[in-house]
Amino acid sequence: MVQRVAVIGAGPSGLTSIKCCLDEMLEPTCFESSNDIGGLWRFKETPEPGKANIYQSVVINSSKEMMSYSDFPPPAELPNNMHHSEVMLYLRLYAQEFQLMQHIRFQTTVVSVRQRADFAVTGQWDVDTESAAGQRETHIFDAVLICSGHYTQPHLPLSDFPGIESFKGRYFHSWEYRNSKGLEGKRVLVIGTGNSGSDIAVDISRVAERVYLSTRRGAWVIGRVGPGGLPGDIVWSSRMQSMIRNLFPNWSTRAVENKLNEAFDHKLYGLKPKHSFWAQIPIVNDDLAGRIISGRVQVKPNVKEFLGTSVVFADGSMINEVDTVIFATGYNYSFPFLPPKIQTKCGYRLRLYKHIFPPSLTRPTLAVVGFIHGFGAVNPLAEMQARWATRVFKGLVELPSEEIMLKEIEKDSEIMHQSYVCSERNPLQVDYLPYMDSLAEKMGVKPNVLKLFLRDPKLALEVFLGPCTPYQYRLSGPGQWTGARQAILTQWQRVTQPFRTRVVPEPESRTACGLRSLAALTGAALLVCLFFYQMLYYFSFNG
C-alpha cells in the first residue's frame, strides 16, 4: 500500500503535489535543490546552473484567477497579471495556508531514482539524494512525483549559425538575461520570437540604440489586456466559447486571427506565421507592436550567417555593428536521475499516458507532474495531474492496461502533431479545457453544467458563460471544496478590485440598466438554445 511519496522539486507543481498527497492522507517528502520554494518564479540575481531562471521584468501571462489553484483564490488586491514577486507571494501564501513547508527538505538534490529489486511486488523506489554539504543518502519510497520542471537546460544551437565563431561581440542564451543594464546605446539582436525573446526585445529596446528580433516562422501576438481593459484570458476562456470552437474550428480560427489583425496587421509587421492561431502557443505581449511601430524593434527573418560584427539574414539583408546577440532558442528537457527506459519517446514527447504515467511500469507508482504546455496556466494543469496521480497511487483510480495506454499515447501523439507545431523544444501541447476535463472526468470532478442549470441556475450560467476558472473542479466529487461556489460567484470582484485605485462616480442611466437587462436575457436565451442544440447533437450521434 502506498504511503510515503517522494516529491522532486518545490516549484508550483511540487507545492500542489505535496498538498494533493496530504489531501489523500499520504506522507510526502519534497526534495528541493535550492534554499527556497518557487522554482521558475524565484528571481535570482546570479544564475544558478541547472536551475530555472527569469529576468527582472517578468510579468505572468495568465491572469491571477486563471492561474490560481482550485481551492485557493488569490487575494483580491493582487494585480490581475502579477509580477514575478507577486507570484512568489501567492505561492508563499499557499504553502503557509496548507502547511507545506514542513514537508520540504531544502538544498537536497535528487541524483537517482530507481526501482527496488522487489518492485513488481511492492512498487517501491530507491531515491538517492545529495545535500549541499555533499552528504549522500538513500531513501525508500512507495511512490514518486517528478515536479522538477523543464526550463533548466538552455538550448544554444551555435552549429546552426555559421560564422558565430567570428562574431566579435558578446552572445549568450536568454537564460542568462537579468535586465537591460549594460546594453544602453547598444545594437542588439535577439534570436527567437517565443514569449521570452519578445519580452527581452521589448525590455532592451527602451535603452538600446536598436533591437533586431529574428524569427524563423513568425508568431501570433495577443495582449494581456482584453475587451474593456479586462484580462484577455478571463474574457475568452468560457466553456461556451470552447464548445463553439470545437463545433466550428475553421470559423473560430478565422475569427480569432481577424480580431488579432484588427489590433495590428501581422503581415505588415513581419510577424505573420504560416501556422494557424491554435497550432502554437502565441506571444503574449502588450508592448511589442508599439516598439515596432516606433522603430525601436525591427523584425527580421532567420539568421543565415555571422560576419564579424555583421549579420546576414535569410532574405539577403544585412545589419552591421551588432554589439550583442541573445539566443532565445528554448530549452532541452531531461530527467537525468531517471532510468533511460522510463524516458522513451513517442515523437518528440515522452511516452507518458496522459503526459503523466510511464505505461511500462508494472506498478503505477511514478508520475510526472507539470511537464505540459497548453493555452492556459500551468498551475491548474499540474494540480489536476497531481490530484489524479495521488488517487492512482492510493488505488482509488485504476489505469488501463499497458496495451491500451500505448495505443492512446500513439493516437494522442498523432493528433497532437497534426494539430500543433511540435518540435524538440516544444515537444507537446494540449487543448487546455478538454485536457482538464478528461482528467477531471476520470476522478469524477468534472462539472455537470446541465445538472447545475436545474439545481443552481445562477452558478450554471457563470460556469458555462463565465471564465473556466479552476474552482469549477472543486464543486463536486473527491476533493470537493465548500468554498468553490462562492469563489466562482465572486471571481469578477477579485478581477475588478485592483483597478479601484481611483473610482470614477457615474450615475447609472436607464439606458444602461436596459442594456444590462437585455444582455442578461440574451445570455440566458443563448444558453437555452445551446442546451437544445447540444441535446440534438448528442441524440443524433447516440441514436
Side-chain angles (χ1 to χ4, degrees):
M1 179 180 176
V2 170
Q3 193 63 35
R4 299 183 68 241
V5 180
V7 178
I8 304 175
S13 299
L15 291 176
T16 194
S17 293
I18 297 170
K19 181 185 177 295
C20 290
C21 286
L22 296 173
D23 288 345
E24 296 297 340
M25 306 300 289
L26 298 172
E27 300 171 11
T29 299
C30 177
F31 299 105
E32 168 55 44
S33 60
S34 73
N35 61 1
D36 200 359
I37 64 171
L40 174 69
W41 293 105
R42 186 172 66 88
F43 175 76
K44 298 169 281 293
E45 290 292 344
T46 304
E48 299 174 15
K51 295 181 174 59
N53 199 46
I54 53 174
Y55 36 96
Q56 207 165 32
S57 61
V58 164
V59 171
I60 194 167
N61 289 335
S62 300
S63 63
K64 64 180 182 181
E65 294 297 318
M66 300 304 295
M67 61 77 65
S68 65
Y69 296 115
S70 61
D71 54 359
F72 193 68
E77 65 273 11
L78 285 178
N80 284 287
N81 289 88
M82 298 182 284
H83 183 257
H84 63 76
S85 60
E86 291 154 332
V87 176
M88 278 298 297
L89 171 61
Y90 175 75
L91 294 177
R92 292 192 193 286
L93 291 172
Y94 180 74
Q96 178 182 343
E97 174 69 18
F98 298 108
Q99 301 179 25
L100 307 181
M101 299 295 283
Q102 60 188 316
H103 301 281
I104 305 174
R105 289 182 58 174
F106 291 106
Q107 295 188 306
T108 305
T109 301
V110 172
V111 294
S112 174
V113 175
R114 60 188 186 278
Q115 300 172 20
R116 290 180 58 78
D118 57 354
F119 180 83
V121 177
T122 64
Q124 290 182 328
W125 300 82
D126 282 329
V127 177
D128 294 339
T129 63
E130 184 175 346
S131 69
Q135 181 180 356
R136 288 217 173 197
E137 290 183 82
T138 298
H139 316 262
I140 299 173
F141 285 99
D142 302 312
V144 179
L145 287 167
I146 300 170
C147 315
S148 53
H150 49 280
Y151 294 110
T152 58
Q153 305 295 328
H155 176 64
L156 192 59
L158 298 182
S159 60
D160 293 345
F161 298 91
I164 186 64
E165 69 280 355
S166 73
F167 181 63
K168 303 200 181 294
R170 179 191 176 206
Y171 65 83
F172 57 93
H173 193 275
S174 58
W175 177 85
E176 295 183 45
Y177 182 76
R178 289 293 167 279
N179 51 48
S180 59
K181 186 177 180 181
L183 297 172
E184 296 88 345
K186 304 291 186 182
R187 293 166 67 87
V188 181
L189 170 63
V190 179
I191 298 177
T193 48
N195 277 292
S196 293
S198 303
D199 264 0
I200 290 170
V202 167
D203 198 33
I204 296 171
S205 71
R206 305 186 194 284
V207 301
E209 177 188 329
R210 185 63 52 85
V211 175
Y212 302 93
L213 182 59
S214 170
T215 176
R216 278 189 304 170
R217 61 168 64 101
W220 294 101
V221 181
I222 60 176
R224 296 178 181 87
V225 181
L230 294 170
D233 63 346
I234 207 168
V235 173
W236 301 115
S237 62
S238 71
R239 290 185 173 275
M240 182 192 73
Q241 289 158 336
S242 178
M243 187 181 76
I244 291 173
R245 181 164 70 84
N246 290 329
L247 290 173
F248 311 105
N250 293 333
W251 173 84
S252 173
T253 299
R254 287 196 303 271
V256 171
E257 291 177 1
N258 290 338
K259 189 70 177 176
L260 294 178
N261 281 322
E262 286 179 11
F264 69 88
D265 188 328
H266 282 60
K267 183 177 181 180
L268 177 65
Y269 277 55
L271 287 167
K272 184 178 180 180
K274 292 181 180 179
H275 60 263
S276 64
F277 176 77
W278 300 106
Q280 191 173 53
I281 295 173
I283 295 171
V284 181
N285 198 298
D286 297 288
D287 302 319
L288 182 59
R291 306 312 290 174
I292 294 173
I293 201 171
S294 65
R296 308 318 304 159
V297 172
Q298 288 188 8
V299 179
K300 302 293 291 183
N302 196 34
V303 171
K304 180 182 178 182
E305 63 177 330
F306 287 86
L307 298 171
T309 59
S310 299
V311 182
V312 182
F313 296 94
D315 62 356
S317 63
M318 178 187 290
I319 56 175
N320 300 310
E321 299 179 5
V322 175
D323 300 294
T324 305
V325 178
I326 301 176
F327 288 89
T329 44
Y331 293 82
N332 299 313
Y333 68 89
S334 67
F335 303 95
F337 47 81
L338 283 180
K341 64 181 181 180
I342 296 180
Q343 301 189 61
T344 59
K345 292 185 179 181
C346 180
Y348 296 112
R349 60 175 282 195
L350 288 178
R351 196 181 297 274
L352 299 174
Y353 179 61
K354 294 298 180 184
H355 306 292
I356 304 170
F357 285 100
S360 60
L361 295 178
T362 54
R363 297 272 183 171
T365 55
L366 181 142
V368 178
V369 173
F371 186 47
I372 193 82
H373 288 276
F375 278 79
V378 171
N379 289 13
L381 288 165
E383 181 188 36
M384 187 65 75
Q385 290 179 325
R387 288 176 69 184
W388 185 47
T390 50
R391 291 187 67 76
V392 171
F393 290 169
K394 285 277 287 189
L396 300 172
V397 178
E398 287 190 6
L399 296 182
S401 67
E402 179 181 354
E403 181 183 1
I404 292 175
M405 286 193 286
L406 287 172
K407 285 182 179 178
E408 285 199 35
I409 291 170
E410 294 289 342
K411 181 181 177 182
D412 287 347
S413 297
E414 183 180 347
I415 293 172
M416 183 171 66
H417 289 150
Q418 290 172 353
S419 304
Y420 305 113
V421 178
C422 296
S423 66
E424 289 288 349
R425 242 52 58 206
N426 183 36
L428 62 94
Q429 189 168 321
V430 296
D431 196 345
Y432 178 84
L433 184 53
Y435 180 78
M436 290 282 283
D437 278 353
S438 70
L439 296 187
E441 198 164 21
K442 292 179 181 298
M443 290 187 290
V445 299
K446 178 184 175 182
N448 188 319
V449 180
L450 296 180
K451 284 186 178 179
L452 272 179
F453 185 72
L454 297 174
R455 190 177 73 244
D456 192 339
K458 181 180 180 181
L459 179 61
L461 281 171
E462 192 63 33
V463 167
F464 187 68
L465 297 177
C468 187
T469 45
Y471 323 122
Q472 295 189 9
Y473 298 103
R474 293 285 183 176
L475 287 169
S476 60
Q480 181 178 358
W481 175 45
T482 56
R485 181 181 188 275
Q486 184 65 11
I488 293 169
L489 295 179
T490 57
Q491 59 197 5
W492 285 107
Q493 296 174 25
R494 291 189 298 278
V495 169
T496 58
Q497 179 63 35
F499 296 109
R500 293 174 179 160
T501 54
R502 176 179 177 262
V503 179
V504 181
E506 185 176 341
E508 190 174 62
S509 64
R510 291 183 179 180
T511 304
C513 289
L515 287 173
R516 191 171 299 159
S517 300
L518 178 62
L521 289 171
T522 303
L526 179 61
L527 179 62
V528 173
C529 290
L530 288 170
F531 168 76
F532 284 110
Y533 181 88
Q534 233 182 350
M535 297 306 294
L536 286 170
Y537 183 79
Y538 174 81
F539 286 117
S540 67
F541 283 96
N542 294 274

